[in-house]
């Protein structure tokens, strides 16, 4: 089921997403006690609405739409809130500016999933600081990685530095046991932000060679929490490390907040 501004969405109202595909979104994992980092998700929607549409977003209204969509749904589940203009015209984008709120709900997978096998691939997202709906390039790299026998793609910028994954942030544990987040243009993930506020870390440039020499690596997003990265290209990384255990415990200890 999908709702637009709290009402069932019609096929015609979805056409602009399919044909023009301009908008932004956030994805939240909803547990029995609520959403971890809920204010961060709402702030992302508000900030990205200003960046994409040049207008403010009533996040209280968004929360109401999400509550209605969740009514009677089992938890945990994953909610995606997409903000777009159903009346947008590809030829007259400057006239767009009446964003609406699409809410979709799906079941949540186990957390964390099995260790991830990543293939490094050259790619940089457009406007990486915005969680926008332009996912073709990122998903194309994921498909290419899967066709090569991997689970997903790890992005390498034109400067040769590691940045992020297709739909996840990446972090590392160095040989001293310190968490390292890549210094690069990346989407500021909510899960990454929650961990940065609660676990000691450093931010530094990471080359592909350095990434393969780390003591451990992990992926983070709302749907997966903290997921071990077991392979980068032809290099196997440890799937168990006490720092990874602490990061998972830290993330799971973050209380959910009610919608």
């Amino acid at each position: 089921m999908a709702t637009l501004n709290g009402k069932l969405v019609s096929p015609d109202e979805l056409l602009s997403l399919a044909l023009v595909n301009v908008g932004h979104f956030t994805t939240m994992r909803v547990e029995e006690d609520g959403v971890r980092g809920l204010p961060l998700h709402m702030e992302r929607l508000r900030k990205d609405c200003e960046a994409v549409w040049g207008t403010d977003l009533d996040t209280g209204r968004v929360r109401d739409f999400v509550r209605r969509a969740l009514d009677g749904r089992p938890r945990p589940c994953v909610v995606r809130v997409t903000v777009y203009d159903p009346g947008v015209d590809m030829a007259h984008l400057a006239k767009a500016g009446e964003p609406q709120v699409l809410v979709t709900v799906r079941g949540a997978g186990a957390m964390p999933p099995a260790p991830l096998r990543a293939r490094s691939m050259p790619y940089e997202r457009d406007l990486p600081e915005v969680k926008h709906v332009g996912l073709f390039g990122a998903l194309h790299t994921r498909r290419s990685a899967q066709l090569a026998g991997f689970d997903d793609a790890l992005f390498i910028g034109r400067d040769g530095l590691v940045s992020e994954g297709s739909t996840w942030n990446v972090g590392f544990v160095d040989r001293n046991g310190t968490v390292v987040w890549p210094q690069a243009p990346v989407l500021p993930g909510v899960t990454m932000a929650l961990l940065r506020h609660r676990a000691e870390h450093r931010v530094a440039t990471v080359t592909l060679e350095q990434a393969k020499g780390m003591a451990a690596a992990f992926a983070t997003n709302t749907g997966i929490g903290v997921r071990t990265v077991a392979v980068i290209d032809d290099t196997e990384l440890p799937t168990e490390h006490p720092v990874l255990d602490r990061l998972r415990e830290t993330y799971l200890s973050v209380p959910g907040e009610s919608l």
Side-chain angles (χ1 to χ4, degrees), residues 162-220:
V162 173
S163 57
E164 58 188 334
S166 61
T167 56
W168 38 274
N169 291 113
V170 66
F172 301 94
V173 181
D174 68 17
R175 295 295 174 179
N176 296 319
T178 301
V179 174
V180 181
W181 298 98
Q183 181 176 312
V186 301
L187 177 73
V190 168
T191 302
M192 179 176 68
L194 291 173
L195 290 173
R196 283 191 180 191
H197 281 102
R198 292 166 173 80
E200 291 187 10
H201 65 274
R202 63 186 178 93
V203 179
T205 57
V206 179
T207 66
L208 180 57
E209 182 179 359
Q210 289 172 328
K212 294 179 179 180
M214 293 289 186
F218 59 95
T220 68

Side-chain angles (χ1 to χ4, degrees), residues 45-61:
L45 289 173
R46 188 203 62 75
K47 176 179 64 67
D48 288 356
C49 191
E50 177 63 34
V52 175
W53 301 111
T55 188
D56 197 16
L57 181 69
D58 184 345
T59 57
R61 191 163 169 256

Side-chain angles (χ1 to χ4, degrees), residues 3-42:
T3 60
L4 184 67
N5 297 335
K7 300 178 181 179
L8 288 178
V9 66
S10 70
D12 285 347
E13 290 170 322
L14 292 173
L15 279 178
S16 70
L17 271 182
L19 301 178
V20 183
N21 201 34
V22 174
H24 62 94
F25 71 101
T26 197
T27 301
M28 303 176 285
R29 184 182 176 103
V30 185
E31 306 281 358
E32 290 296 339
D33 62 345
V35 178
R36 293 183 184 89
L38 178 61
L40 296 178
H41 284 287
M42 294 299 107

Side-chain angles (χ1 to χ4, degrees), residues 103-114:
V103 179
T104 55
V105 185
R106 60 179 171 85
M111 193 170 66

